Amino acid sequence: MIANFLIGLREGLEATIMVSILVAFLVKTGRRDRLGAVRWGVAVAVALPVAIAVALAVAAKALTFEAQELLGGTLSIVAVAFVTWMVFWMRRAGRSLASHLTDKMRAAVGVSAFAVGLTAFLAVGREGLETVFFVYAAGQATGQTWQPLVGAVLGLAVAVVLGWALYRQTVKLDLRRFFTWTGAALVVVAGGVLAYGVHDLQEAGVLPGLHSLAFDVSAQVPPSSWYGELLKGVLNFSPATTWAQAIAWTAYVVPVLALYLRPQRRPAAPAASSSEAPRLRAVRSDAHAA
């Protein structure tokens, strides 16, 4: 639940910052008539991941046990790939995010309302797809309970409130530190999802070594204990871990975390446009900080 709260909070805040940048651009350039297109684009971007999640849940129930494990393992690996790409993309492109989005919106406004809505859909939809795959994989790892969904919804709700407060400039947040440390935490969580995905593939018979354990601390960390549940919910930790799971976790987390936390060279800041209004500059400033 905590891990999914984190993914909901991070992805939701990214999405709300993007929407804030698009709305601020339209308001300050006098194109409020295009705000409706942004709302439709965001609504479709939210509805699409929900539809995919429902389709996955329904389809999984119709499969055999081995097919369910194969689907779960495959989606876990896809979710890890999405999250890994997302945290590195945000680390690299965060400083130019505002200018990139406003350039796209400036071009879309001159075309049609549909182009404006499509720009909003593409900006938000990617975050939704990343979230739904990750939450689905985490739900499989924690026993298909409602807790991962509740955690993700709470995270998204907090992100919307926080994003609105940032847009209204009623709170201040060091977004660079927020995205850096939540990104590092997500890499560790993703390592657990990857390890569980490997276990799914072993149960499906795709990978060998299902009964070859690297360690078994079930006596010291019972899965039904509160700390066992906590480790499972936060890190997807399995007291009985196979060699393939241990190798996959180590081979992913150690190098990815080292690459992610390495010092990053800061490029020279571009000159700000004199035509931009104060609110748009404030939003851009926050996005640069990320």
Side-chain angles (χ1 to χ4, degrees):
M1 182 172 177
I2 297 175
N4 288 282
F5 175 84
L6 179 63
I7 189 73
L9 176 62
R10 172 162 176 136
E11 295 297 299
L13 190 55
E14 282 185 25
T16 54
I17 287 174
M18 291 180 185
V19 174
S20 297
I21 293 170
L22 298 179
V23 169
F25 174 80
L26 292 176
V27 170
K28 294 306 173 183
T29 54
R31 295 308 305 266
R32 288 176 176 270
D33 58 308
R34 299 299 197 201
L35 289 177
V38 172
R39 284 193 287 269
W40 277 108
V42 172
V44 175
V46 172
L48 179 62
V50 173
I52 291 175
V54 173
L56 286 174
V58 172
K61 289 184 178 180
L63 299 176
T64 63
F65 173 77
E66 288 76 12
Q68 287 184 16
E69 297 305 297
L70 178 59
L71 175 64
T74 303
L75 290 180
S76 294
I77 294 172
V78 171
V80 171
F82 265 129
V83 168
T84 306
W85 175 83
M86 176 267 291
V87 296
F88 277 94
W89 176 83
M90 197 63 183
R91 182 178 187 269
R92 184 186 69 255
R95 294 188 178 88
S96 60
L97 178 62
S99 59
H100 175 74
L101 283 175
T102 52
D103 287 346
K104 284 188 172 297
M105 184 56 82
R106 185 177 290 109
V109 166
V111 177
S112 66
F114 176 80
V116 171
L118 181 61
T119 301
F121 169 78
L122 293 176
V124 178
R126 179 187 58 206
E127 312 296 336
L129 288 177
E130 292 168 357
T131 302
V132 73
F133 281 121
F134 198 88
V135 171
Y136 181 85
Q140 297 293 310
T142 54
Q144 302 183 24
T145 69
W146 286 96
Q147 292 183 1
L149 181 60
V150 172
V153 171
L154 288 176
L156 289 170
V158 173
V160 170
V161 174
L162 187 57
W164 174 253
L166 288 171
Y167 176 77
R168 303 296 298 179
Q169 299 183 42
T170 56
V171 298
K172 291 185 178 179
L173 178 66
D174 187 337
L175 290 175
R176 183 180 64 81
R177 287 191 177 184
F178 173 84
F179 283 117
T180 296
W181 290 113
T182 55
L186 282 179
V187 169
V188 176
V189 172
V193 172
L194 176 63
Y196 198 86
V198 168
H199 186 263
D200 277 351
L201 294 179
Q202 288 179 308
E203 288 192 320
V206 176
L207 294 178
L210 177 60
H211 302 293
S212 180
L213 298 181
F215 59 85
D216 186 352
V217 293
S218 299
Q220 293 76 24
V221 187
S224 58
S225 64
W226 67 268
Y227 47 94
E229 293 281 355
L230 182 64
L231 289 172
K232 185 74 172 179
V234 177
L235 301 175
N236 286 312
F237 174 76
S238 174
T241 297
T242 67
W243 276 108
Q245 286 180 275
I247 291 172
W249 190 93
T250 305
Y252 171 80
V253 172
V254 174
V256 171
L257 204 55
L259 284 172
Y260 181 72
L261 293 178
R262 75 187 190 282
Q264 187 176 18
R265 183 176 299 174
R266 298 176 67 88
S273 170
S274 59
S275 62
E276 291 175 331
R279 180 175 297 168
L280 178 57
R281 287 201 297 271
V283 174
R284 173 175 296 184
S285 171
D286 286 340
H288 282 184

